[in-house]
Amino acid sequence: MLPPTVPLVWRRSKRARRMTLRIDAMQGSVVVTLPDRTSRKQGLEFIHHHMDWISASLAALPEKPVLTNGHDIMIEGNLVPILHEPTARRGTWLDDDGLHVSGDAEHTERRVRDFLLKLAKDRLDTAVKRHSERMQLVPSRLGLRDVRTRWGSCTRQGRIMLSWRLLMTPVEIRDYVIIHELAHLRHFDHGADFWALVDHFCLNGRPGRLAAERWLRENGTALLRAA
């Protein structure tokens, strides 16, 4: 069965027609979805039958970063060292040397995460405003979330949600996601007109868009496990 360090999450769905398994990359857990009338015993047998796939998928997950002194965090595509400054009285600040964190070492991880969330809000807000002006498309509301599967979304009411983890991606990747979601304010689908609008505003057009999508496929899981 699963190692004791791997969380097992049970979910039940009235709409599910069969049992499914997936790996939650952020939590490093195994998520089992059961149809409404399927028992836990059947679910355990299902897990046992797919242990080879589960073991291989867990092993393929990138190592979860450590947000303490001497380790690195990705900011706008650059690895930034975390520097603990126990005697400093400046809180947390970013400069050319790295991300400095004052205070007791036991609080470093929390302070790094709090700083990243604030920085993400500032920089993503600025980026959305800039691209909104370029595209003449303004969301009714912008929100940042700690989502596990989607980098962004747009509702029919014009509300746009972005993952705060876009702060970690290179700027051109972040901008692609923002342009993608803003384009949904005009075309609420993924038809030809939608992609033509995205490609028009995306850096390097369609090749740039495809490169951004490829980057997210190849690197997204690692970012989901960070911070």
Side-chain angles (χ1 to χ4, degrees):
M1 294 301 292
L2 294 175
T5 55
V6 177
L8 177 59
V9 180
W10 295 95
R11 292 185 177 169
R12 193 169 291 279
S13 170
K14 293 183 178 180
R15 296 191 300 174
R17 296 185 178 181
R18 58 186 178 85
M19 290 181 283
T20 61
L21 287 171
R22 72 174 179 87
I23 304 299
D24 184 322
M26 189 184 332
Q27 302 297 331
S29 61
V30 177
V31 181
V32 188
T33 300
L34 302 177
D36 200 33
R37 296 184 180 181
T38 302
S39 68
R40 283 275 184 102
K41 181 180 179 181
Q42 290 173 294
L44 289 172
E45 292 174 351
F46 186 65
I47 292 171
H48 180 73
H49 182 71
H50 290 87
M51 275 306 301
D52 287 346
W53 177 85
I54 292 172
S55 298
S57 298
L58 289 171
L61 288 177
E63 185 177 349
K64 192 166 185 177
V66 179
L67 303 182
T68 55
N69 183 61
H71 295 272
D72 298 322
I73 187 67
M74 188 85 75
I75 298 178
E76 294 186 338
N78 300 306
L79 281 176
V80 177
I82 297 171
L83 306 171
H84 182 222
E85 307 276 3
T87 61
R89 293 292 181 268
R90 291 182 56 187
T92 307
W93 71 99
L94 181 67
D95 62 21
D96 291 341
D97 294 327
L99 180 58
H100 304 259
V101 186
S102 63
D104 295 337
E106 63 186 283
H107 302 306
T108 298
E109 185 170 353
R110 174 182 57 79
R111 287 175 175 168
V112 168
R113 183 178 172 85
D114 289 347
F115 178 85
L116 292 175
L117 290 170
K118 183 178 183 301
L119 187 64
K121 184 178 188 308
D122 291 343
R123 296 197 178 179
L124 291 176
D125 278 354
T126 298
V128 169
K129 289 177 182 177
R130 177 165 56 86
H131 289 294
S132 290
E133 291 176 0
R134 289 178 63 220
M135 300 173 70
Q136 293 297 294
L137 294 169
V138 181
S140 61
R141 182 179 178 184
L142 173 65
L144 301 186
R145 295 183 185 176
D146 192 4
V147 292
R148 303 182 184 185
T149 57
R150 304 175 72 180
W151 294 104
S153 64
C154 178
T155 70
R156 289 189 178 276
Q157 292 73 38
R159 296 191 297 271
I160 286 179
M161 181 282 297
L162 298 174
S163 168
W164 74 265
R165 294 167 189 275
L166 285 170
L167 171 70
M168 302 180 192
T169 70
V171 171
E172 64 270 19
I173 308 302
R174 175 202 71 192
D175 287 351
Y176 159 66
V177 175
I178 290 172
I179 291 167
H180 182 117
E181 300 309 331
L182 287 172
H184 278 310
L185 296 175
R186 181 169 297 166
H187 303 291
F188 201 72
D189 56 25
H190 287 99
D193 290 341
F194 168 82
W195 289 118
L197 182 61
V198 172
D199 293 346
H200 177 74
F201 286 100
C202 193
L203 180 67
N204 296 324
R206 184 172 184 271
R209 183 251 295 180
L210 295 176
E213 292 173 347
R214 183 169 58 253
W215 192 97
L216 288 171
R217 286 195 303 270
E218 294 174 352
N219 299 278
T221 299
L223 298 187
L224 289 175
R225 289 179 63 76

